[in-house]
């Protein structure tokens, strides 16, 4: 065989071995990710479910890198958006990185189709893709706040009617969840009931509700309930006053 043929053959063999090594390392890295127990978690949003497997793999290796302060910051925003039982902080950060990579690949494919060079625009696409999930999360928080303030007076009226009809507060919450309008407030009351069934005290579950939503109207409502429970006051007039105050605030 011509000695000059050995060089391309050796290069091809080395490239093949490198590709095989990378593929073997990638398979081992994916296989080492443990399965996630989601029996007690809520379903993530649709866009996250479509990319769930690569998102979970990235999040597994990204988790140890995130600082506790940053994890807590992301968790607080997920809690305000009602996603703390759907996504972990590292999964949301992994979604931002994955979205940035998808935007870069998409722009590169479109530019290659038209024969254009977009080297600097790839950085812009990466930054836009990384920022998009954060913008979506901010909009979701604002939407939940508007829906909460909209449905709060009616839900308080419903709870007040149930209490005045003879039900205790837990039973009134159960009826509000069953009969109330769909929205984030009904979901949050359902979580309160879930916490109570799990063994937490009712007041502790209500305090967790106020901390989770971080909304002044909800905080005032919880504080009024706690004060009424501690002083043995009737809940009916307090709930009716809370509903009237929330309705006046919304009308104003």
């Amino acid at each position: 065989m011509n000695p000059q043929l050995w060089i391309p053959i050796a290069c091809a063999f080395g490239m093949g071995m490198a590709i095989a090594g990378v593929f073997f390392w990638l398979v081992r890295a994916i296989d080492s990710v443990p399965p996630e127990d989601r029996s007690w978690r809520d379903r993530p949003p649709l866009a996250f479910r479509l990319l769930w497997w690569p998102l979970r793999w990235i999040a597994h290796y990204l988790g140890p890198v995130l600082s506790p302060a940053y994890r807590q910051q992301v968790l607080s925003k997920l809690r305000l958006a009602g996603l703390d039982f759907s996504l972990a902080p590292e999964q949301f950060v992994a979604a931002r990185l994955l979205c940035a990579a998808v935007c870069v690949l998409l722009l590169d494919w479109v530019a290659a189709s038209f024969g254009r060079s977009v080297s600097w625009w790839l950085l812009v696409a990466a930054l836009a893709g990384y920022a998009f999930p954060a913008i979506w999360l901010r909009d979701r928080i604002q939407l939940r706040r508007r829906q909460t303030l909209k449905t709060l007076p009616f839900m308080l009226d419903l709870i007040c009617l149930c209490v005045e009809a003879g039900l205790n507060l837990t039973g009134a919450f159960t009826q509000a969840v069953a009969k109330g309008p769909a929205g984030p407030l009904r979901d949050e009351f359902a979580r309160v009931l879930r916490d109570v069934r799990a063994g937490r005290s009712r007041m502790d579950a209500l305090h967790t509700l106020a901390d989770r939503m971080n909304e002044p109207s909800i905080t005032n409502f919880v504080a009024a309930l706690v004060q009424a429970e501690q002083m043995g006051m009737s809940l009916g007039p307090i709930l009716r006053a809370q509903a009237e105050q929330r309705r006046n605030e919304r009308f104003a």
Side-chain angles (χ1 to χ4, degrees):
M1 182 179 291
N2 191 346
Q4 295 181 352
L5 297 178
W6 285 102
I7 297 178
I9 293 176
C11 291
F13 180 77
M15 185 176 298
M17 291 297 295
I19 294 174
V22 170
F23 182 77
F24 177 75
W25 173 82
L26 184 61
V27 171
R28 288 290 302 271
I30 293 175
D31 187 63
S32 63
V33 177
E36 182 184 14
D37 181 16
R38 296 195 61 87
S39 58
W40 57 276
R41 286 184 171 271
D42 299 330
R43 294 185 68 188
L46 177 61
F48 291 86
R49 295 200 302 270
L50 293 176
L51 300 173
W52 186 249
W53 290 110
L55 188 150
R56 191 171 65 86
W57 296 331
I58 297 173
H60 174 73
Y61 295 102
L62 187 64
V65 180
L66 300 180
S67 65
Y70 185 69
R71 285 177 57 90
Q72 186 60 38
Q73 179 183 356
V74 176
L75 182 60
S76 299
K77 293 182 179 179
L78 291 175
R79 187 177 293 118
L80 291 176
L83 297 174
D84 51 324
F85 273 175
S86 300
L87 298 171
E90 58 269 19
Q91 290 172 345
F92 181 75
V93 178
R96 299 186 67 179
L97 296 175
L98 194 60
C99 185
V102 169
C103 288
V104 169
L105 294 176
L106 183 62
L107 179 62
D108 185 66
W109 174 74
V110 172
S113 300
F114 290 96
R116 299 294 183 89
S117 177
V118 290
S119 56
W120 286 103
W121 285 101
L122 294 179
L123 178 60
V124 176
L127 293 176
Y130 185 77
F132 178 76
I135 297 173
W136 169 82
L137 185 65
R138 182 200 63 188
D139 293 342
R140 182 183 173 94
I141 293 173
Q142 294 176 353
L143 178 61
R144 278 176 58 86
R145 183 177 183 274
R146 290 195 301 268
Q147 291 178 342
T148 298
L149 296 178
K150 181 179 180 180
T151 58
L152 181 58
F154 178 77
M155 293 291 279
L156 292 181
D157 284 334
L158 188 57
I159 295 174
C160 178
L161 289 175
C162 293
V163 169
E164 291 178 344
L167 294 177
N168 60 10
L169 191 58
T170 303
F173 272 34
T174 303
Q175 291 300 316
V177 170
K179 308 296 184 182
L185 188 59
R186 190 179 73 172
D187 297 338
E188 292 295 336
F189 284 164
R191 288 182 62 173
V192 170
L193 294 175
R194 184 166 58 184
D195 290 343
V196 172
R197 295 191 194 101
R200 303 182 68 173
S201 66
R202 189 168 58 194
M203 291 299 104
D204 189 18
L206 288 174
H207 280 301
T208 304
L209 168 68
D211 295 338
R212 186 169 59 239
M213 300 198 71
N214 194 24
E215 178 62 41
S217 57
I218 300 296
T219 303
N220 294 335
F221 164 65
V222 171
L225 290 182
V226 172
Q227 184 178 8
E229 286 274 337
Q230 292 176 348
M231 300 182 64
M233 300 169 59
S234 177
L235 291 177
I238 294 177
L239 290 171
R240 190 170 299 279
Q242 284 286 321
E244 188 64 27
Q245 183 179 358
R246 302 287 87 79
R247 188 176 293 105
N248 291 337
E249 290 175 355
R250 182 190 167 202
F251 191 78

